[in-house]
Amino acid sequence: MNMRRTTIKDVAGAAGVGVATVSRVLSGGSASPETRERVLTAAAQLDYRPSALGRNLRQRRSGGIGLLLPDITDTFYGRVADGVLACARSAGEPVIVGATGDDPESEAELIGTLLEQGVDRVIAVPSGDGDSWAPTLRAGVVTVFAHRIAAGRDDVPAVVADDRAGVRTAVDYLTGLGHRRIAYLGGPGQGQRLAVFRQALGPLVDEELIVVARGSRDSAYAAAAGLFQHRPDLTAVLAGGNLLGEAAVLAARELDLRIPRDLSMIMFDDVPWAELCSPPLTVIAQPARDIGYRAAELVLRGGARRPRGVLLPTELIVRGSCAARGTSRSPR
């Protein structure tokens, strides 16, 4: 006999909708009458019983912290996880880790899984919008965001680095070196960084020099290579994360662009390989481990009665990947 329990993913497949839609319907959120009927019919036919979304949630919680990260192989997110685990260990709390791949549907599925498992608390680097988190918050699960804030969820406390100061420092440093055609290579969840980049450059901003990749290495490399090939007149680039910086370094090498003679580069995240590059990369360092540790402290305290964000400082670490524009002997 197959005793496998029906999951929220099974209901989504039967109803022909996404996991996020099922979560929204079952938690009383907005949906069209037709969609609501399909979801409820599928749930009834499959005998789906969402333990964590029921009225007896508080009696069924098993404890522990759920931790959702975009990529557990990324050094930055690994350090965030290290901070969470260190704090949780000192409090004797188990941690369940899930990787969303920066995909909102995967995130919604993992949220549903954590709720079904009855976790008490969730820490997440959010990938989707605020609607994905409605079931968690309605269920009364203490939730804290780390590194990013989900759009429309100002009611959730968050621990983030000071992106605004970091981007402005990077732009000021590059323009101070004489650069005017500065590109931004971005990725998922970097809306605030991009907005500040545009503000900081002001009239110098060139929309063709702004490229946003998806969350994969292949996408990041394609975005960087395409940018460098189509705009050979650019002289500097700000990479919005270490995966993007890695892609930019590889693309520059493949295209025989010399750093910093042909192209100055600054990267968000101070990861070990940045200092081992030739030349070593100038970076905007973020306190990744502290972000995780402080998020765990906050979630273990039950969040805050009134949501309060924790803003941690960033730091410009100058190495060898930037040069004054006037010192280049390249015809570029």
Side-chain angles (χ1 to χ4, degrees):
M1 178 181 293
N2 182 11
M3 299 298 291
R4 186 180 76 86
R5 180 177 177 174
T6 301
T7 68
I8 194 170
K9 189 174 182 180
D10 296 327
V11 177
V17 299
V19 173
T21 301
V22 176
S23 294
R24 190 161 58 248
V25 169
L26 296 181
S27 63
S30 61
S32 69
E34 179 185 353
T35 299
R36 183 178 300 280
E37 180 65 25
R38 282 162 55 196
V39 169
L40 295 178
T41 298
Q45 290 175 344
L46 295 174
D47 194 26
Y48 176 63
R49 298 174 182 177
S51 62
L53 295 177
R55 296 180 179 177
N56 297 325
L57 170 68
R58 289 177 176 79
Q59 297 176 3
R60 296 182 182 180
R61 285 184 182 160
S62 58
I65 300 172
L67 173 61
L68 299 184
L69 301 168
D71 182 358
I72 59 175
T73 68
D74 185 304
T75 303
F76 176 82
Y77 293 122
R79 287 162 57 206
V80 172
D82 184 50
V84 171
L85 292 171
C87 184
R89 190 182 306 116
S90 66
E93 285 284 342
V95 178
I96 301 172
V97 182
T100 65
D102 251 329
D103 175 62
E105 282 293 315
S106 295
E107 178 182 76
E109 181 180 340
L110 285 168
I111 290 171
T113 299
L114 291 175
L115 291 176
E116 288 174 345
Q117 292 178 351
V119 298
D120 280 321
R121 307 169 180 90
V122 173
I123 299 169
V125 179
S127 300
D129 58 24
D131 287 345
S132 299
W133 294 94
T136 311
L137 300 175
R138 287 195 184 99
V141 175
V142 178
T143 304
V144 171
F145 292 146
H147 182 53
R148 299 178 191 162
I149 300 172
R153 289 262 68 122
D154 294 335
D155 53 340
V156 176
V159 181
V160 297
D162 193 347
D163 277 357
R164 184 173 298 275
V167 172
R168 287 191 175 277
T169 299
V171 170
D172 288 348
Y173 182 67
L174 290 171
T175 55
L177 290 173
H179 294 279
R180 296 297 179 265
R181 291 186 292 275
I182 304 172
Y184 182 83
L185 183 59
Q190 295 184 8
Q192 177 173 277
R193 288 182 188 172
L194 184 49
V196 176
F197 177 80
R198 287 191 173 102
Q199 293 168 5
L201 273 182
L204 294 177
V205 69
D206 183 341
E207 292 297 327
E208 289 187 355
L209 295 180
I210 296 174
V211 177
V212 178
R214 296 187 297 276
S216 69
R217 281 178 165 79
D218 287 345
S219 175
Y221 178 83
L227 175 66
F228 298 159
Q229 287 175 314
H230 290 114
R231 289 298 301 267
D233 60 322
L234 71 87
T235 65
V237 61
L238 173 60
N242 70 82
L243 184 149
L244 297 158
E246 175 187 302
V249 169
L250 292 174
R253 184 178 301 164
E254 289 291 323
L255 296 170
D256 292 324
L257 296 175
R258 296 158 296 182
I259 300 173
R261 183 172 176 175
D262 298 329
L263 180 69
S264 289
M265 185 180 301
I266 298 179
M267 177 181 76
F268 261 86
D269 302 341
D270 187 20
V271 292
W273 64 260
E275 198 168 6
L276 301 176
C277 278
S278 180
L281 293 188
T282 293
V283 298
I284 299 294
Q286 303 179 91
R289 191 178 189 277
D290 287 348
I291 289 173
Y293 198 96
R294 295 287 293 274
E297 285 184 327
L298 191 55
V299 84
L300 287 169
R301 291 201 303 266
R305 291 184 179 179
R306 293 182 179 179
R308 292 182 179 178
V310 177
L311 189 65
L312 299 177
T314 56
E315 178 187 2
L316 175 67
I317 300 177
V318 177
R319 295 186 179 126
S321 62
C322 297
R325 182 64 186 136
T327 64
S328 174
R329 293 175 292 171
S330 167
R332 286 169 47 84

